[in-house]
Amino acid sequence: GAGVSQTPSNKVTEKGKYVELRCDPISGHTALYWYRQSLGQGPEFLIYFQGTGAADDSGLPNDRFFAVRPEGSVSTLKIQRTERGDSAVYLCASSVGTGGSYEQYFGPGTRLTVT
Amino acid sequence: GQNIDQPTEMTATEGAIVQINCTYQTSGFNGLFWYQQHAGEAPTFLSYNVLDGLEEKGRFSSFLSRSKGYSYLLLKELQMKDSASYLCAFKASGGYNKLIFGAGTRLAVHP
């Protein structure tokens, strides 16, 4: 079956530009997560949606980052006024439910490079 | 605060057994996960522990001691395809569903 998909797979942008990263979760998964991963590091939590609402956005580094999930399925991570430090792989994950035992299924990620 | 620590790199020989350790600190705990990540690919789920003890799943086993804040992943009968990063992560309690990941352990399996 289809897993989590993310588009684009690679995005190169200039400093100061706006970017949107898209995530299609596994069908029927109510929870959706965004993480970012820098080289040689583990994924770092950004935001988590339960349905359409952001249940925990404590990982967003500043107000340049924003994410939406208007219909409770596809999510878009939006980054304004990009900076070189935003360069990383942005991973999306989904899970069928919340709570301890539900594993998160990860997408292949979007590699963002800010020049 | 919360933190999680695991060795940066390990090497092992094909056919051998390797143990990857992970220690963590958190005020609330709701489970410990291990993920495998091949270079340039998405992390894939390996195991979940919430109670103390050993969980065995084929060639892979995972152990948890909540009182010590300690887990390990045991890989048996190593194969070349096991060369990857192994990520330890915990989930905090209190309704939080985010995973707090370690930096990962890069395992290189040699013939």
Side-chain angles (χ1 to χ4, degrees), chain B:
Chain B
Q2 297 176 322
N3 64 72
I4 185 164
D5 192 40
Q6 54 183 127
T8 304
E9 292 184 351
M10 298 183 72
T11 58
T13 305
E14 194 175 15
I17 299 173
V18 70
Q19 178 175 310
I20 302 174
N21 296 323
C22 171
T23 57
Y24 64 89
Q25 286 184 309
T26 177
S27 55
F29 177 79
N30 199 18
L32 193 291
F33 293 77
W34 284 95
Y35 280 80
Q36 179 190 59
Q37 187 176 29
H38 285 99
E41 298 183 9
T44 55
F45 171 79
L46 290 177
S47 69
Y48 168 75
N49 295 70
V50 69
L51 300 177
D52 289 355
L54 188 69
E55 295 280 344
E56 297 188 77
K57 191 186 294 186
R59 293 191 299 115
F60 293 6
S61 302
S62 57
F63 172 84
L64 176 67
S65 168
R66 290 175 299 173
S67 62
K68 295 181 180 178
Y70 168 69
S71 173
Y72 68 72
L73 181 69
L74 193 71
L75 292 75
K76 305 174 188 175
E77 301 169 15
L78 281 171
Q79 303 174 10
M80 299 297 290
K81 67 178 182 180
D82 297 329
S83 293
S85 281
Y86 291 86
L87 300 164
C88 177
F90 68 82
K91 186 177 284 190
S93 60
Y96 300 101
N97 286 286
K98 62 187 177 186
L99 290 173
I100 308 297
F101 282 90
T105 298
R106 286 193 303 278
L107 173 66
V109 180
H110 298 290

Side-chain angles (χ1 to χ4, degrees), chain A residues 20-40:
Chain A
E20 290 190 350
L21 312 179
R22 176 188 168 105
C23 172
D24 279 87
I26 293 171
S27 178
H29 281 196
T30 59
L32 184 146
Y33 311 79
W34 284 99
Y35 294 83
R36 72 177 175 182
Q37 187 173 25
S38 300
L39 192 63

